[in-house]
Coordinates of all heavy atoms in Angstrom, one line a residue:
M1 N -0.3 21.1 31.0 CA -1.2 20.0 31.3 C -0.9 19.5 32.7 O 0.2 19.2 33.0 CB -1.1 18.9 30.3 CG -2.0 17.7 30.6 SD -1.9 16.3 29.5 CE -2.8 17.0 28.1
Y2 N -2.0 19.4 33.5 CA -1.8 18.8 34.9 C -1.9 17.3 34.8 O -2.6 16.7 34.0 CB -2.9 19.3 35.8 CG -2.7 20.8 36.2 CD1 -3.5 21.8 35.6 CD2 -1.7 21.2 37.0 CE1 -3.3 23.1 36.0 CE2 -1.5 22.5 37.4 CZ -2.3 23.5 36.8 OH -2.2 24.8 37.2
R3 N -1.1 16.7 35.7 CA -1.1 15.2 35.8 C -1.8 14.8 37.1 O -1.4 15.4 38.1 CB 0.3 14.7 35.7 CG 1.0 15.1 34.4 CD 2.4 14.9 34.5 NE 2.7 13.5 34.7 CZ 3.6 12.8 34.2 NH1 4.5 13.3 33.4 NH2 3.8 11.5 34.4
I4 N -2.6 13.8 37.1 CA -3.4 13.4 38.2 C -3.2 11.9 38.5 O -3.2 11.1 37.5 CB -4.9 13.8 38.1 CG1 -5.6 13.6 39.4 CG2 -5.5 13.1 37.0 CD1 -7.0 14.2 39.4
I5 N -3.1 11.6 39.8 CA -3.0 10.2 40.1 C -4.1 9.8 41.1 O -4.4 10.7 42.0 CB -1.6 9.8 40.7 CG1 -1.4 8.3 40.8 CG2 -1.3 10.5 42.0 CD1 0.0 7.9 41.0
I6 N -4.6 8.6 41.0 CA -5.7 8.2 41.9 C -5.1 7.0 42.7 O -4.6 6.0 42.1 CB -6.9 7.8 41.1 CG1 -7.4 9.0 40.3 CG2 -8.0 7.2 42.1 CD1 -8.5 8.6 39.3
A7 N -5.3 7.0 44.0 CA -4.9 5.9 44.9 C -6.1 5.5 45.7 O -6.6 6.2 46.5 CB -3.8 6.4 45.8
D8 N -6.5 4.2 45.5 CA -7.6 3.6 46.2 C -7.5 2.1 46.1 O -7.1 1.6 45.1 CB -8.9 4.1 45.6 CG -10.1 3.8 46.5 OD1 -10.3 2.6 47.0 OD2 -11.0 4.7 46.7
D9 N -7.8 1.4 47.2 CA -7.6 0.0 47.2 C -8.8 -0.7 46.5 O -8.7 -2.0 46.3 CB -7.5 -0.6 48.6 CG -8.6 -0.2 49.5 OD1 -9.3 0.8 49.3 OD2 -8.9 -1.0 50.5
E10 N -9.7 0.0 46.0 CA -10.8 -0.6 45.2 C -10.7 -0.3 43.8 O -10.9 0.9 43.4 CB -12.2 -0.2 45.8 CG -12.3 -0.5 47.3 CD -13.7 -1.0 47.7 OE1 -14.5 -1.3 46.8 OE2 -13.9 -1.0 48.9
A11 N -10.4 -1.2 42.9 CA -10.1 -1.0 41.5 C -11.3 -0.3 40.8 O -11.2 0.6 40.0 CB -9.7 -2.3 40.8
I12 N -12.5 -0.7 41.2 CA -13.7 -0.2 40.5 C -13.9 1.3 40.8 O -14.3 2.1 40.0 CB -15.0 -0.9 40.9 CG1 -16.1 -0.6 39.9 CG2 -15.4 -0.7 42.3 CD1 -17.3 -1.5 39.9
E13 N -13.5 1.7 42.1 CA -13.5 3.2 42.4 C -12.5 3.9 41.6 O -12.8 5.0 41.1 CB -13.2 3.3 43.9 CG -14.2 2.7 44.8 CD -15.6 3.4 44.8 OE1 -15.6 4.7 44.5 OE2 -16.6 2.8 45.1
C14 N -11.3 3.4 41.5 CA -10.3 4.0 40.6 C -10.8 4.2 39.2 O -10.6 5.3 38.6 CB -9.0 3.2 40.6 SG -8.1 3.2 42.2
R15 N -11.3 3.2 38.6 CA -11.8 3.2 37.3 C -12.9 4.2 37.1 O -12.9 5.0 36.1 CB -12.2 1.8 36.8 CG -12.5 1.8 35.3 CD -11.2 2.0 34.5 NE -11.6 2.1 33.1 CZ -11.1 2.9 32.2 NH1 -10.2 3.8 32.6 NH2 -11.5 2.9 31.0
A16 N -13.8 4.3 38.0 CA -14.9 5.2 37.9 C -14.4 6.7 38.0 O -14.8 7.5 37.2 CB -15.9 5.0 39.1
L17 N -13.5 6.9 38.9 CA -12.9 8.3 39.0 C -12.1 8.6 37.7 O -12.2 9.8 37.2 CB -12.0 8.4 40.2 CG -12.7 8.5 41.5 CD1 -11.7 8.3 42.7 CD2 -13.3 9.9 41.6
E18 N -11.4 7.7 37.2 CA -10.6 7.9 35.9 C -11.6 8.3 34.8 O -11.3 9.3 34.1 CB -9.9 6.6 35.5 CG -8.7 6.3 36.4 CD -8.1 4.9 36.0 OE1 -8.6 4.2 35.1 OE2 -7.2 4.5 36.7
L19 N -12.7 7.6 34.7 CA -13.6 7.9 33.6 C -14.3 9.2 33.8 O -14.4 10.0 32.8 CB -14.7 6.8 33.5 CG -14.2 5.4 33.0 CD1 -15.3 4.4 33.1 CD2 -13.6 5.5 31.6
M20 N -14.7 9.6 35.0 CA -15.3 10.9 35.2 C -14.3 12.0 35.0 O -14.7 13.0 34.3 CB -15.8 10.9 36.7 CG -17.0 10.1 36.9 SD -17.8 10.5 38.6 CE -16.5 9.9 39.7
I21 N -13.1 11.9 35.4 CA -12.1 12.9 35.2 C -11.8 13.1 33.7 O -11.7 14.2 33.2 CB -10.8 12.6 36.0 CG1 -11.1 12.8 37.5 CG2 -9.7 13.5 35.5 CD1 -10.0 12.2 38.4
Q22 N -11.6 12.0 33.0 CA -11.4 12.0 31.6 C -12.5 12.7 30.8 O -12.3 13.4 29.8 CB -11.0 10.6 31.0 CG -9.7 10.1 31.5 CD -9.5 8.7 31.2 OE1 -10.4 7.9 30.9 NE2 -8.3 8.2 31.2
R23 N -13.7 12.4 31.2 CA -14.9 13.0 30.5 C -15.1 14.5 30.8 O -15.3 15.3 29.9 CB -16.2 12.2 30.9 CG -17.4 12.7 30.2 CD -18.7 12.0 30.6 NE -19.0 12.3 32.0 CZ -19.2 11.4 33.0 NH1 -19.1 10.1 32.7 NH2 -19.4 11.7 34.2
E24 N -14.9 14.8 32.1 CA -15.2 16.2 32.5 C -14.0 17.1 32.4 O -14.1 18.4 32.2 CB -15.7 16.2 34.0 CG -17.0 15.5 34.2 CD -18.1 16.1 33.4 OE1 -18.2 17.3 33.3 OE2 -19.0 15.3 33.0
F25 N -12.8 16.6 32.4 CA -11.5 17.4 32.3 C -10.6 16.8 31.3 O -9.5 16.2 31.7 CB -10.9 17.5 33.7 CG -11.8 18.0 34.8 CD1 -12.5 17.2 35.6 CD2 -12.0 19.4 34.9 CE1 -13.4 17.7 36.6 CE2 -12.9 19.9 35.8 CZ -13.6 19.1 36.7
P26 N -10.9 16.8 30.1 CA -10.0 16.1 29.1 C -8.6 16.7 29.0 O -7.7 16.0 28.5 CB -10.8 16.3 27.8 CG -11.7 17.5 28.0 CD -12.0 17.5 29.5
E27 N -8.4 17.9 29.6 CA -7.1 18.5 29.5 C -6.1 17.9 30.6 O -4.9 18.1 30.5 CB -7.1 20.0 29.7 CG -7.6 20.5 31.1 CD -9.1 20.5 31.3 OE1 -9.9 20.0 30.4 OE2 -9.5 20.9 32.4
L28 N -6.7 17.1 31.5 CA -5.8 16.5 32.6 C -5.3 15.2 32.0 O -6.0 14.4 31.3 CB -6.7 16.2 33.8 CG -7.1 17.4 34.6 CD1 -7.9 17.0 35.8 CD2 -5.9 18.2 35.1
E29 N -4.1 14.9 32.4 CA -3.5 13.5 32.1 C -3.7 12.6 33.3 O -3.2 12.9 34.4 CB -2.0 13.7 31.8 CG -1.3 12.4 31.5 CD 0.2 12.5 31.3 OE1 0.7 13.6 31.3 OE2 0.8 11.4 31.2
V30 N -4.5 11.6 33.1 CA -4.7 10.7 34.2 C -3.6 9.6 34.2 O -3.5 8.8 33.3 CB -6.1 10.0 34.2 CG1 -6.3 9.1 35.3 CG2 -7.2 11.1 34.1
L31 N -2.8 9.5 35.3 CA -1.8 8.6 35.4 C -2.3 7.2 35.8 O -3.5 7.1 36.3 CB -0.7 9.1 36.4 CG -0.1 10.4 36.1 CD1 0.7 10.9 37.2 CD2 0.8 10.2 34.8
P32 N -1.6 6.1 35.7 CA -2.1 4.8 36.2 C -2.4 4.9 37.7 O -1.6 5.4 38.5 CB -0.9 3.9 35.9 CG -0.1 4.6 34.8 CD -0.3 6.1 35.1

């Protein structure tokens, strides 16, 4: 399983990316 991290100074952008990744790539582990 691949682990992915998102770095962005806008929390809403981070959350949107997290949700898209979790929906489209459930095999990825999204880190905080």
Side-chain angles (χ1 to χ4, degrees):
M1 173 182 289
Y2 289 106
R3 301 166 60 140
I4 187 167
I5 190 163
I6 300 166
D8 193 312
D9 58 331
E10 303 219 12
I12 194 164
E13 296 290 335
C14 289
R15 188 65 184 139
L17 283 169
E18 288 171 2
L19 292 173
M20 286 190 297
I21 291 166
Q22 289 169 340
R23 184 181 65 234
E24 299 297 326
F25 305 98
E27 68 278 6
L28 292 178
E29 178 185 353
V30 180
L31 299 170

